[in-house]
Amino acid sequence: MPPGRRGAPTDRSARTRADLAQGGGTARRPASADRPDARARAGAGPAGPPWAEALSAHVEAERRRRHIPGLALAATQDGRESFAQGFGLRDREAGLPVTPDTVFGVGSIAKAFTCVAILQLAERGKLALLDPVARYLPEFRTADPDWTKRMTIHHFMTHTSGLPPLPAVDRLAAPGVAGDPKAASEGAATAPPIATPEELLAFIASEGVEPLGEPGRYFSYSNAAYALLGLVVARVADLPYEDYVFLRILRPLGMERTTFSPEAASGWEDVAVPYAGTRAEKGRAERSSARAQPVAARAFRPAPALSAAGFLLSTARDLLRFADIFRTGGVGRAEVGRRLGRAPAGAGRRILTGESVRRMTHPHAALAPGLAYGYGLTVHRGYHGLTLVGYADGHAVGPSGQAAAFEVAPEIGVAAVELANLPHPSPGFAAHAVVNGALGLPLDARRLAFPEATCPAERLSDYAGRFAAADGVVVRVDATRAGLRFEVEGERLRARPVAPDAFAVRRGEEEVYARFLRDEAGRIFALHWGFRIVPRAPAPPRAPRPAAKARPSSRPQG
C-alpha cells in the first residue's frame, strides 16, 4: 500500500463556509426528508425478487424469536432498490411501525465513514496512510515512546496500533448512554465523561497506557483509535469531523436522514426508540436469543469524543447509498427512496477512487478463518465464490438500543442494510439472508463455518483461567471433562477446538471465534475475544492452610 502525498492543512474555502451556513454540519437537513409518503411509511418497496415473500417471513419470524421490537431491511440489486420493508415497532409504547426510512443508531458502521474521510484526504495529498499519527496529533503519548512514534494512520484504521482496551470506555460513552437502564446497571451513566478527542489524548498520556506490542503485531479493536482518527480528519481538513462527513460524504450521496446530531433527528418524523435488556431479565431459557422483555432506553444522545467511532444515526435506505460505493468502485449510484419524486440524489457522484475502495476492502488483518478486517469493514472471501464486505455491530459502545449491519456482494451486484432498535447476538442475519436469497441458498445459511479439530485433553488445563481487560470485559475459562467452558456476562458457553489454540464458542445460535495467545516462552498470556485482546489475570493468591491441630499422644507421659 504506497503512501499518498502529504500537504499542510488548509483554511476552509469561502464556499465551505457558505455551505455550512446554509444548513450543513450537524444541525439542519432538508424539510422534505421529514415527510415520507404513505407508501414508504407503510414499509412498501417496489416489486422485489421472487424470494421476497420468503425473506419477509423469515425476517419477521426471527425478529419475534429474538424479541427485537423493530427492524428495517432494505436492499439493492445493481443499484436499484429491490427490497425495502419495516418489521415490528419503532416505538412499542406508542404502537408506531418501523419503515425503511426509520432513523436508528448505526453503531460502529460509523468507522467506515471515518475511513472514507481519511482516504479522501489521502487522495488530495493532505496526508498519507503510513504517516505517524503523532505527526497530526503531537500530544499523543503512550508508555512506550518508540512504539508511539511508529503508530501510523494505517495501524489505527486496522486496529493494529497496539492500543489496548482502555479503562475509560464508560467515560467516553457516558454522555451517549446517560439514562440508559442497561448502562446505569453497569455504572456507565455515572462515570465522569471524557467529552472530546482532545480530552481522550490527555487521558491516554496521563494514564501511561502500555501498548499490547509493537505496532502491526496484534489486532485489538479500539474505539479510542477511531476517536483519534476523527481528530486527525478535523485537523487536516480544518473542519469539525462531523461537518467534514456531512459535506464530503452525506450530502454528495443524498443521505438526507443521516446525522451525528440527535438534536437534529429529534425534529424528524419516524425515529426509533432505542431499547435495552437488563441482565436480571435474561433468564436461562433466553440466553440463546437476544434480550427478553426489552425496556425503552433514553433517546439517542451525542458522545462527541466518540463520533468517529460509533455515534451516527441513519436509515436503511440512506445507508444503502453509502454501502453501494463498495459495489461501484466509489461512485454513488444507488437508487433508493423514490418517495421524493425526483432523480435519485447522489447518483453519479464519485466519493472515492477505485484504488481507495480496493485499499478499504483489502483484508489487512486476519480475524478468523475466512474473515479479515479492511479499513472500517470486515472482508469475507470465499463465500460460495464471492467476496462479502460490510460490517455488523450488535453491542455498540453508544446507546445500547441498536444493532446495525450492511453487507455487499459486488460480484452479484447486491447490497443490503439491516437496522434494529435492540442489540442481539446475530446482527446482520437479515442482510445476509438477502445475499443467500440472491444465490439461491437457504436464507439462514451461515456466513462462516469453522472447521473441526481436536485438542488433547491434557492441554485443556493450559487455557483455564480468568481473562480481564481494562474496559471491563471478563472471560472465565474452565477445563472440564467435556472440554472447555467459557463464562461471559453470567452465561456458561460450550467451546469446541477449531485450530491450535483456537476454539469456536457457542453463543446462542452463533459461534464466536476465540484464540489464545502465547508469549515467547510458550505461556498463554491473553485471549483474543470479541476481536479484542483480553489479558490473562494473575491467579489469586491461595489462602494459607490452617495449621493442623496437634493430636494428643497415646503414650504415657514421664
Side-chain angles (χ1 to χ4, degrees):
M1 180 185 60
R5 294 182 298 110
R6 294 190 297 274
T10 58
D11 292 335
R12 302 181 196 175
S13 66
R15 181 177 179 182
T16 295
R17 295 180 188 277
D19 288 340
L20 291 172
Q22 293 176 7
T26 59
R28 299 174 58 193
R29 294 292 182 275
S32 60
D34 299 342
R35 298 192 298 270
D37 64 21
R39 185 167 180 263
R41 289 175 61 83
W51 39 268
E53 185 175 345
L55 176 66
S56 295
H58 169 69
V59 173
E60 176 60 12
E62 289 298 301
R63 181 194 71 80
R64 289 177 177 273
R65 193 172 61 80
R66 300 169 193 268
H67 310 286
I68 301 169
L71 182 148
L73 176 63
T76 56
Q77 175 69 57
D78 299 322
R80 292 183 177 274
E81 186 174 284
S82 59
F83 187 93
Q85 187 172 335
F87 301 84
L89 302 174
R90 70 176 188 266
D91 184 335
R92 194 177 58 177
E93 289 69 31
L96 299 175
V98 171
T99 78
D101 301 299
T102 298
V103 175
F104 292 86
V106 304
S108 286
I109 289 176
K111 292 180 173 67
F113 287 79
T114 300
C115 290
V116 168
I118 290 285
L119 286 162
Q120 287 178 335
L121 293 170
E123 290 174 3
R124 293 163 54 198
K126 300 298 183 181
L127 55 77
L129 303 186
L130 299 186
D131 282 345
V133 170
R135 177 170 296 172
Y136 306 97
L137 307 179
E139 315 97 306
F140 177 54
R141 294 179 178 84
T142 72
D144 191 306
D146 179 58
W147 283 353
T148 302
K149 293 176 184 177
R150 292 163 53 191
M151 293 180 189
T152 66
I153 291 173
H154 166 81
H155 290 138
F156 273 38
M157 293 169 74
T158 56
H159 298 291
T160 59
S161 66
L163 283 180
L166 297 180
V169 64
D170 286 349
R171 296 176 60 191
L172 283 163
V177 298
D180 183 318
K182 179 175 181 289
S185 70
E186 297 175 359
T190 58
I194 294 175
T196 66
E198 290 85 355
E199 290 183 13
L200 174 60
L201 275 174
F203 173 84
I204 293 173
S206 66
E207 288 291 303
V209 171
E210 189 74 43
L212 295 165
E214 63 179 325
R217 183 170 185 181
Y218 297 116
F219 178 98
S220 188
Y221 200 89
S222 174
N223 284 296
Y226 267 79
L228 297 183
L229 284 175
L231 185 57
V232 170
V233 171
R235 291 187 177 180
V236 172
D238 193 27
L239 276 172
Y241 165 83
E242 297 88 347
D243 290 346
Y244 179 92
V245 171
F246 168 74
L247 289 169
R248 301 292 185 181
I249 304 174
L250 303 184
R251 194 174 67 175
L253 286 174
M255 297 176 68
E256 297 176 336
R257 287 176 61 77
T258 302
T259 181
F260 287 98
S261 171
E263 181 181 4
S266 67
W268 299 345
E269 295 180 2
D270 201 358
V271 178
V273 172
Y275 289 85
T278 62
R279 292 180 184 176
E281 294 167 333
K282 221 174 134 192
R284 186 178 299 272
E286 302 296 343
R287 289 177 181 171
S288 62
S289 64
R291 304 273 197 252
Q293 302 176 357
V295 294
R298 189 162 179 171
F300 297 117
R301 302 185 69 187
L306 283 177
S307 288
F311 279 76
L312 184 66
L313 305 176
S314 190
T315 72
R317 276 179 165 150
D318 257 19
L319 273 180
L320 272 177
R321 302 177 191 275
F322 178 76
D324 202 50
I325 69 174
F326 304 107
R327 177 189 67 87
T328 64
V331 178
R333 288 179 181 160
E335 299 179 17
V336 294
R338 300 186 180 89
R339 67 188 185 282
L340 300 180
R342 62 175 187 241
R349 296 293 297 273
R350 179 164 289 283
I351 304 303
L352 287 176
T353 65
E355 176 58 27
S356 289
V357 171
R358 284 189 288 274
R359 289 183 176 190
M360 202 161 167
T361 58
H362 181 77
H364 294 290
L367 301 178
L371 186 67
Y373 197 81
Y375 287 153
L377 302 170
T378 54
V379 183
H380 180 200
R381 288 183 168 178
Y383 186 72
H384 297 274
L386 304 181
T387 295
L388 307 180
V389 298
Y391 198 77
D393 183 3
H395 49 279
V397 170
S400 66
Q402 60 189 33
F406 76 95
E407 188 166 302
V408 183
E411 294 97 333
I412 58 173
V414 170
V417 171
E418 166 194 333
L419 302 177
N421 55 357
L422 180 79
H424 58 89
S426 307
F429 79 89
H432 186 59
V434 172
V435 174
N436 285 336
L439 290 173
L441 299 172
L443 295 178
D444 59 355
R446 293 182 182 176
R447 186 184 297 105
L448 291 174
F450 299 121
E452 294 288 344
T454 59
C455 178
E458 61 271 17
R459 293 188 61 184
L460 292 177
S461 60
D462 291 352
Y463 308 114
R466 183 175 177 270
F467 298 80
D471 63 356
V473 173
V474 177
V475 182
R476 181 178 178 85
V477 182
D478 294 314
T480 72
R481 291 182 179 179
L484 288 190
R485 293 291 183 271
F486 285 60
E487 183 175 332
V488 183
E489 296 182 347
E491 293 183 78
R492 295 276 293 173
L493 310 170
R494 294 180 298 169
R496 65 180 180 88
V498 294
D501 292 335
F503 293 79
V505 182
R506 173 71 62 179
R507 195 168 198 185
E509 297 172 10
E510 301 295 319
E511 287 191 321
V512 178
Y513 188 74
R515 182 166 59 92
F516 294 89
L517 304 180
R518 294 182 182 270
D519 60 19
E520 295 177 354
R523 295 182 296 263
I524 291 172
F525 71 93
L527 170 67
H528 205 257
W529 173 264
F531 297 157
R532 291 165 174 80
I533 289 181
V534 185
R536 190 172 205 159
R542 291 186 177 182
R545 292 183 178 180
K549 294 182 179 180
R551 294 183 178 179
S553 174
S554 59
R555 293 182 180 180
Q557 301 298 314

